[in-house]
Amino acid sequence: MRLDVVTIFPEYLDPLDVSLVGKARARGLLDVRVHDLRDWTRDKHHTVDDTPYGGGPGMVMKTDPWGDALDDVIADGYEHGATRPVLVVPTPSGEPFTQDRAVELSRQPWLIFTPARYEGIDRRVTDEYATRLPVRELSIGDYVLAGGEAAVLVITEAVARLLPGVLGNAESHRDDSFAPGAMAHLLEGPVYTKPPTWRRRGIPDVLLSGHHGNIARWRRDEAIRRTAAHRPDLLRRSAPDAFDKKDRALLTALGWYQDQDGHWQPPAQDAP
Ligand code: SAM
């Protein structure tokens, strides 16, 4: 997979040399290219922003540096044999970045990121490239960062670990919280490793039992408990037939009930 990032803070992307993403780069699974947007400015101050039309606080990133940079990056990618670029625009006004979106992006051969600063990029840039490329405007959460570089790091790490050959154990992400395809969207429950006792704290007996069925049941119960406590919205959205008899007994014991459509609803005092 090829990744291009255009930014006014190339050094902010240095963590892409480290850990999982860094190893994927070293092994040739990821071709990451970080570009300084200011290389495409034409004035001696390397200006990338200007005042907003209509007034108001803050500055807006200018069309020309972005347009020239993206034209060159796209042309360079094609020259090097890359195909089908997807433009990934981090923005708090984008659709939520989820595990499903990570899976979708991990299947693309080439991603081009446009992390912005100030109040964002002049809208015409996204509109222009949307006529030629698929564009994904993505938010990594309901908060506002000072710039999109941290969002690029988040999205890249979530995508890179899904690429074939990146994780040592290909099964590792199958049971992740939010793994798509799971009938119910459950968070992953607690995990433990050696030693069996730490500061007089043991681990659940069932994990030492060697009984795979009981272990799977315990893991699922813990996942349901955790999801009910932290993300009741995920349980409420799950299809009613996603839950087996033991799931239903646990949800009932936790005070959940089924509405007219069969969807599970939290106890009245927990309802969002
Ligand atoms: N005024 C903009 C708004 O409210 O939509 C916020 C601009 S923010 C200060 C500057 C840049 O940081 C954004 O253009 C985007 O690239 C990035 N950014 C901030 N919060 C983000 C989030 N939650 N997800 C993805 N990118 C974000």
Side-chain angles (χ1 to χ4, degrees):
M1 174 185 268
R2 172 167 165 148
L3 295 184
D4 285 282
V5 187
V6 183
T7 169
I8 59 168
F9 291 121
E11 63 277 23
Y12 208 122
L13 282 305
D14 285 352
L16 293 178
D17 276 330
V18 178
S19 185
L20 176 136
V21 175
K23 280 189 199 146
R25 293 177 77 175
R27 288 162 58 200
L29 299 168
L30 260 185
D31 174 7
V32 180
R33 297 166 191 233
V34 179
H35 313 272
D36 188 341
L37 180 69
R38 292 195 200 274
D39 290 346
W40 282 275
T41 54
R42 296 174 197 174
D43 62 313
K44 72 173 180 188
H45 299 295
H46 301 293
T47 309
V48 292
D49 60 311
D50 207 336
T51 52
Y53 276 123
M59 301 293 272
V60 174
M61 298 191 93
K62 291 162 69 65
T63 47
D64 268 343
W66 277 105
D68 293 348
L70 289 173
D71 285 349
D72 284 353
V73 166
I74 291 167
D76 179 75
Y78 281 127
E79 269 167 38
H80 286 86
T83 52
R84 290 199 290 122
V86 174
L87 193 68
V88 182
V89 181
T91 167
S93 58
E95 62 171 311
F97 178 64
T98 60
Q99 190 67 16
D100 284 350
R101 290 284 88 71
V103 170
E104 179 199 318
L105 293 180
S106 74
R107 294 182 178 144
Q108 306 300 326
W110 179 14
L111 305 178
I112 303 173
F113 290 94
T114 60
R117 288 270 152 179
Y118 315 109
E119 294 309 316
I121 306 171
D122 185 308
R123 180 69 211 176
R124 290 169 291 182
V125 174
T126 312
D127 290 345
E128 163 77 8
Y129 288 92
T131 65
R132 327 179 199 164
L133 311 174
V135 173
R136 294 279 176 278
E137 294 183 76
L138 296 176
S139 166
I140 62 161
D142 291 344
Y143 39 77
V144 179
L145 301 165
E149 290 76 10
V152 173
L153 295 176
V154 167
I155 295 170
T156 300
E157 187 154 315
V159 168
R161 67 191 288 282
L162 298 173
L163 297 177
V166 168
L167 283 187
N169 177 356
E171 302 285 285
S172 299
H173 53 71
R174 198 200 50 197
D175 296 331
D176 285 343
S177 301
F178 314 114
M183 292 257 293
H185 288 287
L186 299 178
L187 305 181
E188 202 176 285
V191 292
Y192 303 87
T193 185
K194 293 171 243 350
T197 307
W198 179 75
R199 297 189 184 176
R200 295 165 64 190
R201 291 169 184 273
I203 61 172
D205 289 340
V206 63
L207 297 179
L208 297 171
S209 68
H211 190 297
H212 297 304
N214 288 352
I215 292 172
R217 184 68 247 169
W218 179 86
R219 287 197 169 134
R220 186 157 173 99
D221 285 350
E222 290 301 310
I224 290 174
R225 283 182 206 282
R226 195 167 178 85
T227 312
H230 292 177
R231 292 293 304 275
D233 58 306
L234 294 179
L235 282 182
R236 294 173 72 213
R237 271 190 269 145
S238 297
D241 61 1
F243 301 103
D244 67 19
K245 199 172 158 195
K246 289 185 174 163
D247 297 338
R248 295 197 294 273
L250 174 58
L251 284 166
T252 305
L254 294 173
W256 285 60
Y257 66 94
Q258 284 183 280
D259 64 15
Q260 283 168 338
D261 303 329
H263 283 95
W264 286 89
Q265 301 295 340
Q269 74 274 13
D270 296 350

